[in-house]
Amino acid sequence: SNGSGGSGTGGTLNALACKKADKWNGDLGSGEWTTPCPGCQKASDYGPRSINGVDAGNGGMHYGVDLSSPGAGYGDGTQIITPVDMKVTELYEPDGCVFAVANTEPKFGFGFCHLNKIDVHAGQTLKRGDIIGTEGNKGDSVGSLFITHLHFEIYKPGANMKAWYEHKDNIDPTSILKKKGAWPDRASK
């Protein structure tokens, strides 16, 4: 995936403004999270990238991590679940995206993209472990070898979730998922 939101959102400028080391050093809150893609493996990291020397969209910046189930092909993949209790703020159907905000502090924002099937609606309150949909390859997806996957984003607490496509408040999900016990079991460490 190239990050969500399609083209025409100032990708090159955003890539320059967003460093590879956009890590969260603040409070993570209490309790563990659940992996959003059970049994998956990492397919692509957060940060600058190209695919075979070609800009992978958004000026070469990948604003999340891609996770895919073993042997992922095309079509519906594994079920995607909520890592924490959260409220769905918006759906972006063209890219198969669900955007949500955690119900507990710190109130991180989340993006789950390229889903082939979405099982939630805007305004819905979800509990940790609820099904959001199934991994897919819907929309503006140029990475992960075009295979079924979840593009997963985390946004800083207090981020304007209506402006997710601006990519101003993204943070690398990898260390947070690892610290919260939610890094996928099959993902490389």
Side-chain angles (χ1 to χ4, degrees):
S1 74
N2 73 354
S4 51
S7 59
T9 58
T12 302
L13 178 61
N14 288 333
L16 295 173
C18 190
K19 304 174 298 299
K20 168 110 175 95
D22 287 336
K23 299 203 184 286
W24 179 251
N25 294 318
D27 180 27
L28 289 176
S30 62
E32 287 196 341
W33 291 2
T34 301
T35 181
C37 193
C40 287
Q41 57 198 5
K42 179 183 69 179
S44 185
D45 288 315
Y46 176 96
R49 72 171 183 176
S50 67
I51 298 173
N52 296 327
V54 177
D55 177 355
N58 288 323
M61 184 65 189
H62 187 234
Y63 289 96
V65 293
D66 289 346
L67 305 171
S68 64
S69 54
Y74 302 92
D76 288 343
T78 195
Q79 291 180 327
I80 303 305
I81 61 175
T82 57
V84 297
D85 293 355
M86 57 180 56
K87 184 173 184 176
V88 177
T89 58
E90 182 179 3
L91 303 180
Y92 184 70
E93 297 281 347
D95 279 349
C97 294
V98 173
F99 295 95
V101 174
N103 288 342
T104 57
E105 295 293 336
K107 293 190 175 191
F108 287 107
F110 299 94
F112 307 84
C113 291
H114 306 311
L115 305 179
N116 274 355
K117 181 180 175 195
I118 296 175
D119 294 325
V120 297
H121 57 83
Q124 186 173 352
T125 299
L126 304 170
K127 293 287 187 192
R128 175 181 167 190
D130 284 351
I131 296 169
I132 297 171
T134 56
E135 69 177 322
N137 201 32
K138 189 172 183 182
D140 190 10
S141 174
V142 298
S144 300
L145 305 175
F146 303 101
I147 61 170
T148 299
H149 67 286
L150 165 67
H151 172 83
F152 181 69
E153 297 184 356
I154 296 182
Y155 306 91
K156 295 175 185 171
N160 177 1
M161 292 304 292
K162 290 291 187 186
W164 54 264
Y165 53 85
E166 294 176 0
H167 299 295
K168 292 193 298 189
D169 293 316
N170 292 72
I171 49 180
D172 186 347
T174 306
S175 64
I176 295 173
L177 289 173
K178 287 179 178 180
K179 289 176 183 173
K180 297 301 276 180
W183 189 244
D185 296 335
R186 296 181 44 85
S188 57
K189 300 291 181 199

